[in-house]
Amino acid sequence: MIIRISGKDYSDFLVEYDLENLTPEEKIREIITCYVILRRNRRKLPQKILNPFLNAFERYTGS
């Protein structure tokens, strides 16, 4: 898998996983897990709560 991100985004990511004492792989797994949970619960939660999170993630990933 190839993910293209800006240098600043990568630096922010490095800081985040380092602060949480995780490896990059563990942090990516956490991010993906959160995204999957949000997608699965999309019908259960009001759209106005989920949309900001899902839209931000989709903008970030280009999905």
Side-chain angles (χ1 to χ4, degrees):
M1 174 174 26
I2 297 173
I3 301 172
R4 290 179 176 81
I5 59 174
S6 73
K8 177 164 178 14
D9 288 339
Y10 183 69
S11 296
D12 291 344
F13 176 74
L14 292 175
V15 170
E16 281 300 313
Y17 80 75
D18 190 47
L19 287 173
E20 296 177 21
N21 295 317
L22 298 172
T23 66
E25 293 83 5
E26 290 169 330
K27 186 62 180 175
I28 290 170
R29 188 176 302 117
E30 180 184 273
I31 292 166
I32 292 170
T33 300
C34 290
Y35 180 75
V36 168
I37 289 169
L38 283 172
R39 294 297 263 186
R40 286 182 185 156
N41 290 306
R42 192 175 212 164
R43 289 186 202 111
K44 296 176 188 174
L45 296 172
Q47 282 307 114
K48 64 182 178 185
I49 293 173
L50 282 180
N51 277 342
F53 296 104
L54 293 173
N55 291 340
F57 184 82
E58 288 167 358
R59 276 194 309 273
Y60 180 76
T61 62
S63 300

